[in-house]
């Protein structure tokens, strides 16, 4: 997710994959994976350039009013224009939130959202050839 977020922040776009369902004209599919939809259980989520498909439910991305990723959780709240909220969770949900924001906002994060990403730096060991002068 952090690599995708960095790519999007530099002006890149998510890479399209081979479609697993019929696409509309000009539509691209970015991925498919299992998620848990609160109130409906485990579903297969498919994300395209214009819609999010959660099992048998299809949500046009343009109908999303607000995207709220939860810090430290694999959780995403999607507020829709009809007043409803979809809450999805699972290990692929942070990646999904970056893809949705890239399509909606052209950025890796929703407007006004300050991501907290702590990526530890690699630990450096001294080179094996270093000699001790004791």
């Amino acid at each position: 997710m952090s690599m995708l977020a960095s790519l999007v922040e530099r002006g890149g776009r998510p890479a399209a994959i081979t479609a697993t369902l019929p696409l509309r004209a000009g539509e691209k599919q970015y991925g498919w994976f299992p998620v848990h939809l609160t109130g409906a259980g485990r579903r297969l989520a498919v994300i395209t350039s214009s819609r999010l498909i959660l099992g048998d439910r299809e949500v046009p991305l343009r109908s999303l009013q607000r995207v709220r990723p939860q810090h430290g959780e694999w959780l995403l709240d999607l507020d829709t224009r009809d007043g409803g909220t979809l809450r999805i969770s699972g290990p692929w949900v942070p990646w999904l939130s970056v893809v949705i924001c890239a399509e909606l906002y052209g950025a890796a994060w929703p407007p006004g959202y300050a991501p907290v990403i702590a990526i530890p730096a690699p630990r450096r060991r001294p080179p094996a050839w270093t000699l001790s002068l004791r």
Side-chain angles (χ1 to χ4, degrees), residues 32-124:
W32 59 274
F33 42 85
V35 297
H36 183 269
L37 178 61
T38 301
R42 193 175 173 114
R43 297 282 185 256
L44 185 63
V46 178
I47 181 70
T48 73
S49 56
S50 63
R51 55 194 167 138
L52 173 63
I53 301 151
L54 299 164
D56 57 353
R57 183 173 184 172
E58 184 176 311
V59 180
L61 293 183
R62 67 178 182 271
S63 75
L64 297 178
Q65 185 172 358
R66 193 166 142 199
V67 177
R68 292 181 290 141
Q70 303 297 320
H71 287 300
E73 303 287 330
W74 291 342
L75 185 68
L76 178 65
D77 289 329
L78 301 168
D79 296 334
T80 59
R81 296 199 190 281
D82 64 3
T85 298
L86 298 170
R87 175 170 272 191
I88 56 175
S89 61
W92 285 97
V93 169
W95 179 89
L96 173 67
S97 68
V98 173
V99 173
I100 290 173
C101 289
E103 284 301 310
L104 291 176
Y105 312 118
W109 314 107
Y113 179 80
V116 177
I117 298 178
I119 301 173
R123 295 183 181 190
R124 299 188 71 175

